[in-house]
Amino acid sequence: MTAKHYSFGMLFLFITVLLAGAFVVNKSDHTESEGGERGTMSEKLNHLIENEPKLQGAITGISIRDAETGKKVYDHMGNVRLRPASNMKLLTAAAALAVLGENHTFSTEVLAGSSTANNQLNGNLFLKGRGDPTLMPEDFDRFAKKVKENGIDMIDGDIIADDTWYDDVRLSPNLVWSDEHWYYGAQISALTVSPDKDFDAGTVIVEVDPGDAGEQPDVTVTPDTEYVQIRNNAKTAVSESEEELTFNRIHGENRITIDGSIPADSETVKEWIAVWEPTEYAMDLFRQALVREGITWTGKVKTGQAPEKAHVLYTDKSIPLSELLLPFMKLSNNTHAEMLVKEMGKAVHNEGSWEKGLDAVESEMEDFGVKIDTTVIRDGSGISHMNLLPPDEISKLLYNVQDEKWFGTYLNSLPDSRKSDRMAGGTLRYRMDNLNVQAKTGTIDGVSSLSGYAQTESGGKIIFSIMLNNLLDEDDGPGIEDKIIEILVNQ
Protein backbone atom coordinates (compact mmCIF):
# COMPACT_ATOMS: atom_id res chain seq x y z
CA MET A 1 0.00 0.00 0.00
CA THR A 2 1.36 3.40 -0.99
CA ALA A 3 1.62 6.19 1.49
CA LYS A 4 -1.16 7.98 -0.38
CA HIS A 5 -3.50 5.03 -0.10
CA TYR A 6 -2.55 4.50 3.54
CA SER A 7 -3.32 8.14 4.39
CA PHE A 8 -6.68 7.98 2.60
CA GLY A 9 -7.57 4.73 4.39
CA MET A 10 -6.72 6.19 7.77
CA LEU A 11 -8.77 9.28 7.02
CA PHE A 12 -11.73 7.15 5.92
CA LEU A 13 -11.46 5.06 9.08
CA PHE A 14 -11.30 8.20 11.27
CA ILE A 15 -14.40 9.70 9.63
CA THR A 16 -16.28 6.42 9.97
CA VAL A 17 -15.52 6.14 13.69
CA LEU A 18 -16.45 9.79 14.23
CA LEU A 19 -19.80 9.39 12.48
CA ALA A 20 -20.53 6.18 14.36
CA GLY A 21 -19.79 7.91 17.64
CA ALA A 22 -22.01 10.80 16.71
CA PHE A 23 -24.77 8.38 15.78
CA VAL A 24 -24.47 6.64 19.14
CA VAL A 25 -24.59 9.94 21.02
CA ASN A 26 -27.61 11.18 19.09
CA LYS A 27 -29.41 7.90 19.55
CA SER A 28 -28.65 7.97 23.25
CA ASP A 29 -29.97 11.53 23.58
CA HIS A 30 -33.08 10.60 21.61
CA THR A 31 -33.77 7.61 23.82
CA GLU A 32 -33.38 9.57 27.03
CA SER A 33 -35.77 12.22 25.78
CA GLU A 34 -38.39 9.67 24.71
CA GLY A 35 -38.11 7.77 27.96
CA GLY A 36 -38.88 10.95 29.86
CA GLU A 37 -36.41 9.98 32.60
CA ARG A 38 -33.91 12.69 31.72
CA GLY A 39 -34.02 15.98 29.89
CA THR A 40 -35.35 19.44 30.65
CA MET A 41 -38.83 20.13 31.90
CA SER A 42 -39.75 21.52 28.49
CA GLU A 43 -38.50 18.41 26.72
CA LYS A 44 -40.49 16.15 29.01
CA LEU A 45 -43.66 18.19 28.63
CA ASN A 46 -43.28 18.36 24.85
CA HIS A 47 -42.75 14.62 24.73
CA LEU A 48 -45.86 13.97 26.81
CA ILE A 49 -48.02 16.26 24.66
CA GLU A 50 -46.72 14.74 21.42
CA ASN A 51 -46.98 11.11 22.49
CA GLU A 52 -50.04 10.91 24.75
CA PRO A 53 -52.64 9.08 22.61
CA LYS A 54 -55.58 10.71 24.35
CA LEU A 55 -54.29 14.15 23.33
CA GLN A 56 -54.15 13.28 19.65
CA GLY A 57 -56.72 15.47 17.91
CA ALA A 58 -57.30 17.47 21.08
CA ILE A 59 -56.07 20.98 21.91
CA THR A 60 -53.60 21.34 24.75
CA GLY A 61 -52.98 24.77 26.23
CA ILE A 62 -50.39 25.17 28.98
CA SER A 63 -48.92 28.27 30.62
CA ILE A 64 -46.37 27.98 33.44
CA ARG A 65 -44.85 30.88 35.37
CA ASP A 66 -42.34 31.34 38.14
CA ALA A 67 -44.47 32.37 41.12
CA GLU A 68 -41.83 34.81 42.37
CA THR A 69 -41.12 36.71 39.16
CA GLY A 70 -44.13 35.98 36.96
CA LYS A 71 -41.77 35.00 34.15
CA LYS A 72 -43.11 32.32 31.85
CA VAL A 73 -40.99 29.19 32.04
CA TYR A 74 -43.05 27.06 29.65
CA ASP A 75 -45.69 27.70 27.03
CA HIS A 76 -47.68 25.46 24.75
CA MET A 77 -50.47 27.27 22.93
CA GLY A 78 -50.79 29.46 26.00
CA ASN A 79 -52.27 32.36 24.04
CA VAL A 80 -55.00 30.28 22.40
CA ARG A 81 -58.55 30.86 23.61
CA LEU A 82 -59.95 27.65 25.11
CA ARG A 83 -62.98 26.61 27.12
CA PRO A 84 -61.97 26.88 30.78
CA ALA A 85 -64.84 24.92 32.39
CA SER A 86 -64.76 25.61 36.15
CA ASN A 87 -61.41 27.36 35.94
CA MET A 88 -63.69 30.32 35.20
CA LYS A 89 -64.38 30.34 38.95
CA LEU A 90 -60.83 31.57 39.55
CA LEU A 91 -61.88 34.84 37.92
CA THR A 92 -65.23 35.00 39.71
CA ALA A 93 -63.71 34.38 43.15
CA ALA A 94 -60.97 36.99 42.65
CA ALA A 95 -63.46 39.57 41.41
CA ALA A 96 -65.87 38.85 44.30
CA LEU A 97 -63.12 39.32 46.89
CA ALA A 98 -62.09 42.59 45.24
CA VAL A 99 -65.62 43.97 44.76
CA LEU A 100 -67.51 42.62 47.78
CA GLY A 101 -64.72 41.95 50.27
CA GLU A 102 -63.91 38.98 52.49
CA ASN A 103 -66.44 40.02 55.13
CA HIS A 104 -69.39 40.43 52.77
CA THR A 105 -72.58 38.70 53.95
CA PHE A 106 -75.98 38.10 52.39
CA SER A 107 -79.09 39.05 54.32
CA THR A 108 -82.68 37.84 54.48
CA GLU A 109 -85.40 39.98 56.02
CA VAL A 110 -88.81 39.25 57.51
CA LEU A 111 -90.92 42.38 56.99
CA ALA A 112 -94.37 43.58 58.07
CA GLY A 113 -96.30 45.74 55.65
CA SER A 114 -98.49 47.31 58.32
CA SER A 115 -99.07 47.61 62.05
CA THR A 116 -99.83 44.89 64.58
CA ALA A 117 -102.64 44.95 67.12
CA ASN A 118 -104.13 42.24 69.30
CA ASN A 119 -101.69 39.63 67.90
CA GLN A 120 -102.82 40.41 64.37
CA LEU A 121 -100.79 41.88 61.53
CA ASN A 122 -103.12 44.15 59.61
CA GLY A 123 -101.45 43.76 56.26
CA ASN A 124 -99.01 41.59 54.35
CA LEU A 125 -96.00 39.66 55.66
CA PHE A 126 -92.91 39.69 53.44
CA LEU A 127 -89.85 37.47 53.21
CA LYS A 128 -87.19 39.39 51.29
CA GLY A 129 -84.16 37.54 49.96
CA ARG A 130 -80.88 39.26 49.19
CA GLY A 131 -79.01 36.41 47.58
CA ASP A 132 -78.11 34.11 50.47
CA PRO A 133 -77.24 30.68 48.96
CA THR A 134 -76.76 29.14 52.43
CA LEU A 135 -80.37 29.28 53.69
CA MET A 136 -81.51 25.86 54.89
CA PRO A 137 -84.93 24.49 55.95
CA GLU A 138 -84.25 25.17 59.63
CA ASP A 139 -83.69 28.84 58.86
CA PHE A 140 -87.32 29.13 57.74
CA ASP A 141 -88.37 27.62 61.07
CA ARG A 142 -86.43 30.41 62.76
CA PHE A 143 -88.07 33.07 60.57
CA ALA A 144 -91.50 31.77 61.58
CA LYS A 145 -90.52 31.81 65.26
CA LYS A 146 -89.42 35.44 64.90
CA VAL A 147 -92.85 36.31 63.50
CA LYS A 148 -94.40 34.65 66.53
CA GLU A 149 -92.02 36.46 68.91
CA ASN A 150 -93.19 39.75 67.41
CA GLY A 151 -96.65 38.98 68.75
CA ILE A 152 -98.21 37.87 65.48
CA ASP A 153 -100.62 34.93 65.47
CA MET A 154 -102.82 36.10 62.62
CA ILE A 155 -102.02 37.87 59.34
CA ASP A 156 -104.85 39.76 57.70
CA GLY A 157 -103.23 39.72 54.31
CA ASP A 158 -100.85 37.76 52.07
CA ILE A 159 -97.50 36.02 52.64
CA ILE A 160 -95.26 37.49 49.96
CA ALA A 161 -91.83 36.41 48.74
CA ASP A 162 -89.64 39.29 47.53
CA ASP A 163 -86.78 38.12 45.31
CA THR A 164 -86.36 41.41 43.44
CA TRP A 165 -82.81 41.96 44.76
CA TYR A 166 -81.76 40.14 41.56
CA ASP A 167 -83.50 40.09 38.21
CA ASP A 168 -85.85 37.26 37.25
CA VAL A 169 -83.57 35.59 34.69
CA ARG A 170 -83.14 32.17 36.25
CA LEU A 171 -80.70 30.29 34.00
CA SER A 172 -77.25 31.43 32.95
CA PRO A 173 -76.56 32.27 29.30
CA ASN A 174 -75.82 29.28 27.06
CA LEU A 175 -76.62 26.69 29.73
CA VAL A 176 -77.09 23.34 27.98
CA TRP A 177 -80.79 22.49 28.28
CA SER A 178 -80.12 18.96 29.52
CA ASP A 179 -78.21 20.36 32.52
CA GLU A 180 -81.09 22.40 33.94
CA HIS A 181 -82.56 19.68 36.17
CA TRP A 182 -79.21 18.82 37.80
CA TYR A 183 -77.83 20.65 40.83
CA TYR A 184 -75.02 22.20 38.78
CA GLY A 185 -77.58 23.87 36.51
CA ALA A 186 -79.89 25.14 39.26
CA GLN A 187 -81.92 28.32 38.77
CA ILE A 188 -80.72 31.56 40.36
CA SER A 189 -82.96 33.54 42.70
CA ALA A 190 -82.32 36.06 45.44
CA LEU A 191 -84.51 33.87 47.69
CA THR A 192 -83.59 30.20 47.59
CA VAL A 193 -82.95 27.12 49.74
CA SER A 194 -80.13 24.60 50.14
CA PRO A 195 -80.99 21.08 51.34
CA ASP A 196 -77.67 20.51 53.16
CA LYS A 197 -74.36 22.18 54.02
CA ASP A 198 -72.91 21.70 50.56
CA PHE A 199 -75.22 24.66 49.88
CA ASP A 200 -76.46 23.52 46.48
CA ALA A 201 -79.11 26.22 46.47
CA GLY A 202 -82.34 25.63 44.60
CA THR A 203 -82.19 21.84 44.84
CA VAL A 204 -83.78 18.93 46.69
CA ILE A 205 -82.10 15.64 47.59
CA VAL A 206 -83.83 12.56 46.18
CA GLU A 207 -82.88 9.26 47.84
CA VAL A 208 -83.76 5.82 46.51
CA ASP A 209 -83.60 2.73 48.76
CA PRO A 210 -84.11 -0.75 47.32
CA GLY A 211 -86.99 -2.97 48.38
CA ASP A 212 -87.39 -6.67 47.70
CA ALA A 213 -86.59 -7.86 44.18
CA GLY A 214 -89.50 -7.06 41.86
CA GLU A 215 -90.92 -4.31 44.08
CA GLN A 216 -90.71 -0.55 43.81
CA PRO A 217 -87.86 1.04 45.74
CA ASP A 218 -88.59 3.58 48.49
CA VAL A 219 -88.08 7.24 47.58
CA THR A 220 -87.65 10.15 49.98
CA VAL A 221 -87.17 13.86 49.31
CA THR A 222 -85.18 16.26 51.49
CA PRO A 223 -86.38 18.71 52.64
CA ASP A 224 -89.93 17.47 53.13
CA THR A 225 -91.84 19.66 50.73
CA GLU A 226 -94.98 19.46 48.65
CA TYR A 227 -93.34 21.68 46.05
CA VAL A 228 -92.00 18.66 44.13
CA GLN A 229 -93.81 15.47 43.19
CA ILE A 230 -92.20 12.09 42.55
CA ARG A 231 -93.19 9.67 39.80
CA ASN A 232 -91.54 6.41 40.79
CA ASN A 233 -91.31 4.04 37.82
CA ALA A 234 -88.25 2.24 39.15
CA LYS A 235 -88.00 -1.41 40.13
CA THR A 236 -85.83 -3.32 42.57
CA ALA A 237 -83.67 -5.82 40.69
CA VAL A 238 -81.98 -8.96 41.97
CA SER A 239 -78.87 -8.61 44.13
CA GLU A 240 -75.51 -8.04 42.45
CA SER A 241 -77.11 -6.68 39.29
CA GLU A 242 -76.15 -3.31 37.84
CA GLU A 243 -77.71 -0.11 39.14
CA GLU A 244 -79.46 1.67 36.24
CA LEU A 245 -81.53 4.47 37.78
CA THR A 246 -82.26 7.65 35.86
CA PHE A 247 -83.67 10.92 37.24
CA ASN A 248 -85.41 13.61 35.24
CA ARG A 249 -87.46 16.73 35.88
CA ILE A 250 -89.74 17.98 33.15
CA HIS A 251 -88.97 21.51 31.94
CA GLY A 252 -91.29 24.03 33.55
CA GLU A 253 -92.57 21.59 36.16
CA ASN A 254 -91.56 20.10 39.50
CA ARG A 255 -92.41 16.49 38.78
CA ILE A 256 -89.32 14.31 39.15
CA THR A 257 -89.48 10.98 37.33
CA ILE A 258 -87.35 8.03 38.40
CA ASP A 259 -86.90 5.15 35.96
CA GLY A 260 -84.70 2.07 35.77
CA SER A 261 -83.62 -0.39 38.41
CA ILE A 262 -81.69 -0.63 41.65
CA PRO A 263 -80.21 -3.91 42.98
CA ALA A 264 -81.78 -5.33 46.13
CA ASP A 265 -78.39 -5.23 47.88
CA SER A 266 -77.57 -1.67 46.80
CA GLU A 267 -76.69 1.21 49.09
CA THR A 268 -78.94 4.28 48.98
CA VAL A 269 -78.70 6.14 45.68
CA LYS A 270 -78.78 9.90 46.20
CA GLU A 271 -79.18 12.70 43.65
CA TRP A 272 -79.47 16.49 43.95
CA ILE A 273 -82.19 17.72 41.59
CA ALA A 274 -82.79 21.39 40.77
CA VAL A 275 -86.32 22.72 41.22
CA TRP A 276 -88.28 24.93 38.88
CA GLU A 277 -88.66 28.42 40.44
CA PRO A 278 -86.65 28.31 43.68
CA THR A 279 -88.42 31.35 45.16
CA GLU A 280 -91.69 29.45 45.39
CA TYR A 281 -89.81 26.46 46.78
CA ALA A 282 -88.48 28.68 49.59
CA MET A 283 -91.95 29.99 50.27
CA ASP A 284 -93.37 26.49 50.58
CA LEU A 285 -90.93 25.87 53.43
CA PHE A 286 -91.79 29.23 55.02
CA ARG A 287 -95.52 28.42 54.73
CA GLN A 288 -95.02 25.10 56.49
CA ALA A 289 -92.98 26.76 59.24
CA LEU A 290 -95.69 29.36 59.86
CA VAL A 291 -98.30 26.62 60.13
CA ARG A 292 -96.19 24.76 62.69
CA GLU A 293 -96.05 27.96 64.75
CA GLY A 294 -99.83 28.19 64.68
CA ILE A 295 -99.80 31.34 62.56
CA THR A 296 -102.74 31.79 60.16
CA TRP A 297 -103.45 34.23 57.34
CA THR A 298 -106.40 35.32 55.25
CA GLY A 299 -104.71 35.86 51.90
CA LYS A 300 -102.43 33.92 49.55
CA VAL A 301 -98.81 32.83 49.45
CA LYS A 302 -97.30 34.55 46.41
CA THR A 303 -94.40 36.59 45.05
CA GLY A 304 -94.18 40.37 44.98
CA GLN A 305 -92.13 43.33 46.18
CA ALA A 306 -92.04 44.71 49.69
CA PRO A 307 -92.73 48.43 50.05
CA GLU A 308 -89.82 50.58 51.21
CA LYS A 309 -91.78 51.56 54.32
CA ALA A 310 -92.20 47.92 55.43
CA HIS A 311 -91.15 47.34 59.06
CA VAL A 312 -88.26 44.92 59.67
CA LEU A 313 -89.23 42.15 62.10
CA TYR A 314 -86.01 40.17 61.74
CA THR A 315 -82.78 40.24 59.72
CA ASP A 316 -80.71 37.11 59.14
CA LYS A 317 -77.05 37.23 58.05
CA SER A 318 -75.17 34.56 56.13
CA ILE A 319 -71.65 33.35 56.74
CA PRO A 320 -69.04 35.77 55.33
CA LEU A 321 -67.70 35.44 51.80
CA SER A 322 -64.38 34.15 53.17
CA GLU A 323 -66.23 31.07 54.48
CA LEU A 324 -68.59 30.73 51.53
CA LEU A 325 -65.56 30.44 49.24
CA LEU A 326 -64.82 27.01 50.71
CA PRO A 327 -67.87 25.14 49.38
CA PHE A 328 -67.83 27.40 46.33
CA MET A 329 -64.27 26.59 45.25
CA LYS A 330 -63.50 23.31 47.00
CA LEU A 331 -66.69 21.65 45.69
CA SER A 332 -66.94 23.79 42.53
CA ASN A 333 -70.44 25.09 43.25
CA ASN A 334 -71.90 26.62 40.08
CA THR A 335 -74.84 28.27 41.84
CA HIS A 336 -72.52 30.22 44.14
CA ALA A 337 -70.59 31.50 41.14
CA GLU A 338 -73.68 32.83 39.39
CA MET A 339 -75.12 34.37 42.56
CA LEU A 340 -71.80 36.12 43.20
CA VAL A 341 -71.88 37.51 39.66
CA LYS A 342 -75.36 38.94 40.24
CA GLU A 343 -74.33 40.25 43.66
CA MET A 344 -71.40 42.10 42.06
CA GLY A 345 -73.80 43.57 39.50
CA LYS A 346 -75.99 44.77 42.35
CA ALA A 347 -73.03 46.21 44.26
CA VAL A 348 -71.42 48.03 41.33
CA HIS A 349 -74.35 48.89 39.04
CA ASN A 350 -77.37 48.44 41.35
CA GLU A 351 -78.63 45.70 39.03
CA GLY A 352 -78.45 42.06 39.99
CA SER A 353 -78.10 40.64 36.50
CA TRP A 354 -75.58 38.58 34.57
CA GLU A 355 -74.93 41.47 32.20
CA LYS A 356 -74.01 43.97 34.92
CA GLY A 357 -72.29 41.37 37.08
CA LEU A 358 -70.03 40.20 34.26
CA ASP A 359 -69.22 43.84 33.51
CA ALA A 360 -67.94 44.07 37.08
CA VAL A 361 -65.93 40.86 36.70
CA GLU A 362 -64.32 42.06 33.48
CA SER A 363 -63.45 45.42 35.02
CA GLU A 364 -61.68 43.71 37.92
CA MET A 365 -59.84 41.39 35.54
CA GLU A 366 -58.47 44.37 33.66
CA ASP A 367 -57.19 45.74 36.97
CA PHE A 368 -55.40 42.41 37.47
CA GLY A 369 -53.73 42.69 34.07
CA VAL A 370 -55.93 40.19 32.25
CA LYS A 371 -56.50 41.03 28.57
CA ILE A 372 -60.27 41.06 28.39
CA ASP A 373 -60.24 41.75 24.64
CA THR A 374 -58.85 38.26 24.08
CA THR A 375 -61.50 36.50 26.20
CA VAL A 376 -65.19 35.59 26.05
CA ILE A 377 -66.93 35.48 29.44
CA ARG A 378 -70.56 34.34 29.47
CA ASP A 379 -71.07 33.25 33.07
CA GLY A 380 -69.37 32.99 36.44
CA SER A 381 -69.16 29.21 36.77
CA GLY A 382 -67.69 28.06 33.47
CA ILE A 383 -70.62 25.79 32.63
CA SER A 384 -71.11 27.55 29.29
CA HIS A 385 -69.23 26.17 26.29
CA MET A 386 -69.09 29.74 24.97
CA ASN A 387 -66.55 30.88 27.59
CA LEU A 388 -63.10 31.31 26.09
CA LEU A 389 -59.91 32.08 28.03
CA PRO A 390 -56.24 31.70 27.10
CA PRO A 391 -54.19 29.78 29.71
CA ASP A 392 -51.73 32.70 29.70
CA GLU A 393 -54.39 35.04 31.07
CA ILE A 394 -55.28 32.67 33.90
CA SER A 395 -51.65 32.18 34.92
CA LYS A 396 -51.21 35.96 34.79
CA LEU A 397 -54.20 36.46 37.09
CA LEU A 398 -52.86 33.87 39.54
CA TYR A 399 -49.54 35.68 39.63
CA ASN A 400 -50.96 39.16 40.10
CA VAL A 401 -53.47 38.33 42.87
CA GLN A 402 -50.61 37.23 45.12
CA ASP A 403 -50.16 40.88 46.11
CA GLU A 404 -53.76 41.30 47.30
CA LYS A 405 -54.52 41.46 51.03
CA TRP A 406 -57.13 38.74 50.59
CA PHE A 407 -54.79 36.35 48.76
CA GLY A 408 -54.51 34.03 51.78
CA THR A 409 -58.29 33.54 51.70
CA TYR A 410 -58.21 32.99 47.94
CA LEU A 411 -55.42 30.44 48.14
CA ASN A 412 -57.08 28.61 51.03
CA SER A 413 -60.26 28.24 48.97
CA LEU A 414 -58.50 26.17 46.30
CA PRO A 415 -58.67 22.36 46.46
CA ASP A 416 -55.52 21.04 48.16
CA SER A 417 -54.01 17.74 47.05
CA ARG A 418 -52.42 17.21 50.49
CA LYS A 419 -55.76 17.18 52.32
CA SER A 420 -58.14 14.20 52.53
CA ASP A 421 -61.00 16.10 54.18
CA ARG A 422 -63.71 16.99 51.68
CA MET A 423 -63.87 20.68 52.61
CA ALA A 424 -60.09 20.98 52.44
CA GLY A 425 -58.95 18.69 49.65
CA GLY A 426 -62.09 19.30 47.64
CA THR A 427 -61.92 18.01 44.08
CA LEU A 428 -58.19 17.22 44.44
CA ARG A 429 -58.48 15.03 47.53
CA TYR A 430 -58.07 11.81 45.53
CA ARG A 431 -55.38 13.11 43.18
CA MET A 432 -51.62 13.72 43.18
CA ASP A 433 -50.76 12.04 46.48
CA ASN A 434 -47.76 13.58 48.26
CA LEU A 435 -47.59 16.56 45.90
CA ASN A 436 -48.05 20.10 47.21
CA VAL A 437 -50.66 21.46 44.82
CA GLN A 438 -53.47 23.97 45.36
CA ALA A 439 -55.50 24.35 42.21
CA LYS A 440 -58.96 24.68 40.67
CA THR A 441 -60.27 21.80 38.63
CA GLY A 442 -62.70 22.08 35.74
CA THR A 443 -64.83 19.65 33.74
CA ILE A 444 -67.50 19.98 31.08
CA ASP A 445 -68.15 17.77 28.05
CA GLY A 446 -64.88 17.36 26.15
CA VAL A 447 -63.00 19.70 28.49
CA SER A 448 -60.70 19.22 31.48
CA SER A 449 -58.71 21.99 33.13
CA LEU A 450 -56.48 22.58 36.13
CA SER A 451 -54.93 25.88 37.21
CA GLY A 452 -53.20 26.92 40.40
CA TYR A 453 -50.02 26.75 42.43
CA ALA A 454 -47.49 23.97 43.06
CA GLN A 455 -44.35 23.57 45.16
CA THR A 456 -41.40 21.98 43.36
CA GLU A 457 -38.97 19.43 44.78
CA SER A 458 -36.24 22.07 44.67
CA GLY A 459 -38.27 24.36 46.93
CA GLY A 460 -39.54 26.77 44.30
CA LYS A 461 -43.14 27.68 43.59
CA ILE A 462 -44.77 27.65 40.18
CA ILE A 463 -48.06 28.88 38.76
CA PHE A 464 -49.69 26.79 36.07
CA SER A 465 -52.76 26.74 33.87
CA ILE A 466 -53.58 23.58 31.93
CA MET A 467 -56.55 23.43 29.56
CA LEU A 468 -57.37 20.31 27.58
CA ASN A 469 -60.10 20.85 24.99
CA ASN A 470 -61.78 18.58 22.43
CA LEU A 471 -61.07 15.44 24.41
CA LEU A 472 -63.05 12.40 23.32
CA ASP A 473 -63.64 11.70 27.01
CA GLU A 474 -63.19 14.50 29.56
CA ASP A 475 -62.60 11.87 32.24
CA ASP A 476 -59.20 11.22 30.63
CA GLY A 477 -58.11 14.77 31.47
CA PRO A 478 -57.24 14.52 35.18
CA GLY A 479 -54.79 11.66 34.64
CA ILE A 480 -52.96 13.63 31.95
CA GLU A 481 -52.93 16.78 34.09
CA ASP A 482 -51.48 14.83 37.00
CA LYS A 483 -48.64 13.60 34.77
CA ILE A 484 -47.93 17.19 33.75
CA ILE A 485 -47.90 18.36 37.36
CA GLU A 486 -45.55 15.53 38.35
CA ILE A 487 -43.09 16.71 35.71
CA LEU A 488 -43.39 20.28 37.00
CA VAL A 489 -42.83 19.54 40.67
CA ASN A 490 -39.94 17.13 40.09
CA GLN A 491 -37.74 19.69 38.39
Side-chain angles (χ1 to χ4, degrees):
M1 180 181 293
T2 64
K4 183 177 179 180
H5 287 161
Y6 177 81
S7 298
F8 177 79
M10 290 296 291
L11 178 62
F12 178 78
L13 178 62
F14 174 77
I15 292 172
T16 301
V17 171
L18 182 64
L19 289 174
F23 174 76
V24 171
V25 170
N26 287 338
K27 182 178 180 181
S28 174
D29 285 350
H30 183 64
T31 302
E32 288 173 3
S33 177
E34 284 192 350
E37 295 178 359
R38 288 184 285 273
T40 67
M41 177 188 74
S42 295
E43 290 171 340
K44 293 176 182 178
L45 291 174
N46 290 339
H47 179 266
L48 174 62
I49 294 168
E50 293 167 7
N51 292 277
E52 170 54 60
K54 294 170 183 176
L55 291 180
Q56 303 309 304
I59 303 175
T60 302
I62 303 176
S63 177
I64 303 169
R65 297 179 188 270
D66 183 293
E68 296 296 325
T69 65
K71 179 182 178 182
K72 277 203 295 183
V73 296
Y74 180 80
D75 178 276
H76 184 275
M77 301 182 72
N79 64 347
V80 174
R81 288 182 290 274
L82 299 172
R83 289 167 287 164
S86 283
N87 276 201
M88 181 64 214
K89 293 182 176 76
L90 291 164
L91 282 66
T92 304
L97 285 166
V99 172
L100 305 174
E102 296 177 82
N103 298 320
H104 178 82
T105 59
F106 301 84
S107 64
T108 307
E109 295 176 331
V110 182
L111 305 165
S114 188
S115 60
T116 302
N118 300 320
N119 295 332
Q120 177 174 301
L121 173 61
N122 298 307
N124 299 325
L125 180 72
F126 297 88
L127 185 63
K128 183 177 180 64
R130 296 179 186 267
D132 186 357
T134 69
L135 288 179
M136 295 179 64
E138 53 264 36
D139 292 312
F140 293 85
D141 291 332
R142 186 172 66 258
F143 300 159
K145 289 182 186 299
K146 293 298 181 180
V147 174
K148 189 81 168 182
E149 289 173 7
N150 275 273
I152 299 173
D153 294 326
M154 168 69 179
I155 300 163
D156 187 16
D158 299 322
I159 312 296
I160 299 177
D162 183 347
D163 62 5
T164 58
W165 187 250
Y166 300 153
D167 66 6
D168 60 0
V169 179
R170 298 298 191 216
L171 296 172
S172 62
N174 310 122
L175 179 77
V176 177
W177 69 267
S178 58
D179 286 340
E180 74 163 51
H181 70 280
W182 297 111
Y183 67 95
Y184 50 80
Q187 297 185 14
I188 306 304
S189 167
L191 181 61
T192 188
V193 188
S194 294
D196 62 13
K197 289 191 174 181
D198 282 2
F199 301 130
D200 290 304
T203 71
V204 295
I205 302 173
V206 179
E207 297 179 82
V208 181
D209 288 294
D212 294 329
E215 296 182 352
Q216 275 192 330
D218 294 324
V219 178
T220 57
V221 177
T222 304
D224 184 12
T225 174
E226 297 177 1
Y227 193 61
V228 299
Q229 297 81 45
I230 298 294
R231 176 175 289 178
N232 182 7
N233 299 327
K235 295 294 184 183
T236 303
V238 296
S239 297
E240 299 184 3
S241 58
E242 187 175 354
E243 184 262 295
E244 296 180 333
L245 291 176
T246 62
F247 299 77
N248 190 38
R249 177 181 56 74
I250 296 175
H251 176 80
E253 297 184 15
N254 279 302
R255 185 169 70 248
I256 299 170
T257 303
I258 305 172
D259 293 304
S261 62
I262 180 172
D265 58 348
S266 173
E267 299 290 332
T268 301
V269 174
K270 183 183 294 188
E271 287 289 355
W272 282 254
I273 304 296
V275 304
W276 185 265
E277 280 297 339
T279 300
E280 295 177 18
Y281 165 40
M283 286 306 286
D284 181 69
L285 296 182
F286 188 42
R287 176 191 61 78
Q288 292 184 57
L290 290 170
V291 169
R292 285 192 292 270
E293 288 296 323
I295 299 171
T296 60
W297 56 94
T298 60
K300 298 178 180 179
V301 177
K302 61 182 185 179
T303 59
Q305 186 169 6
E308 291 185 9
K309 64 179 182 179
H311 175 62
V312 178
L313 301 178
Y314 175 68
T315 300
D316 182 73
K317 295 287 187 180
S318 73
I319 58 177
L321 178 59
S322 58
E323 294 181 28
L324 181 64
L325 283 181
L326 296 180
F328 168 35
M329 297 291 275
K330 301 283 190 185
L331 306 182
S332 202
N333 191 306
N334 288 352
T335 308
H336 294 179
E338 309 307 350
M339 293 184 83
L340 286 171
V341 166
K342 290 199 174 189
E343 186 72 3
M344 284 186 273
K346 189 70 175 180
V348 176
H349 301 290
N350 197 32
E351 181 181 305
S353 66
W354 267 290
E355 179 184 0
K356 296 302 183 182
L358 292 177
D359 281 348
V361 172
E362 291 181 356
S363 178
E364 291 302 320
M365 290 306 104
E366 288 180 326
D367 289 345
F368 290 130
V370 175
K371 295 179 181 177
I372 290 301
D373 59 358
T374 192
T375 69
V376 177
I377 299 176
R378 301 303 297 269
D379 61 29
S381 66
I383 197 171
S384 170
H385 283 257
M386 296 299 292
N387 290 310
L388 293 172
L389 295 172
D392 271 355
E393 299 309 309
I394 290 186
S395 67
K396 187 189 302 179
L397 169 68
L398 294 176
Y399 172 71
N400 287 333
V401 296
Q402 293 179 113
D403 293 330
E404 298 299 319
K405 62 182 181 180
W406 40 257
F407 176 68
T409 297
Y410 185 77
L411 182 65
N412 183 58
S413 74
L414 300 180
D416 191 330
S417 65
R418 299 165 297 176
K419 307 290 179 62
S420 59
D421 180 75
R422 189 163 173 269
M423 276 301 177
T427 53
L428 286 184
R429 65 190 183 279
Y430 300 127
R431 294 175 59 179
M432 296 180 284
D433 290 343
N434 302 317
L435 299 184
N436 187 345
V437 179
Q438 290 174 270
K440 184 71 197 74
T441 56
T443 307
I444 53 176
D445 289 344
V447 175
S448 183
S449 56
L450 184 70
S451 300
Y453 307 86
Q455 199 81 29
T456 66
E457 288 292 324
S458 60
K461 187 177 182 181
I462 55 171
I463 293 170
F464 61 88
S465 180
I466 305 166
M467 291 189 195
L468 310 178
N469 277 207
N470 297 351
L471 295 168
L472 293 176
D473 186 346
E474 61 277 2
D475 290 339
D476 293 331
I480 298 169
E481 293 154 4
D482 292 358
K483 291 178 183 178
I484 293 171
I485 297 301
E486 188 172 357
I487 292 172
L488 299 183
V489 300
N490 288 329
Q491 59 179 305

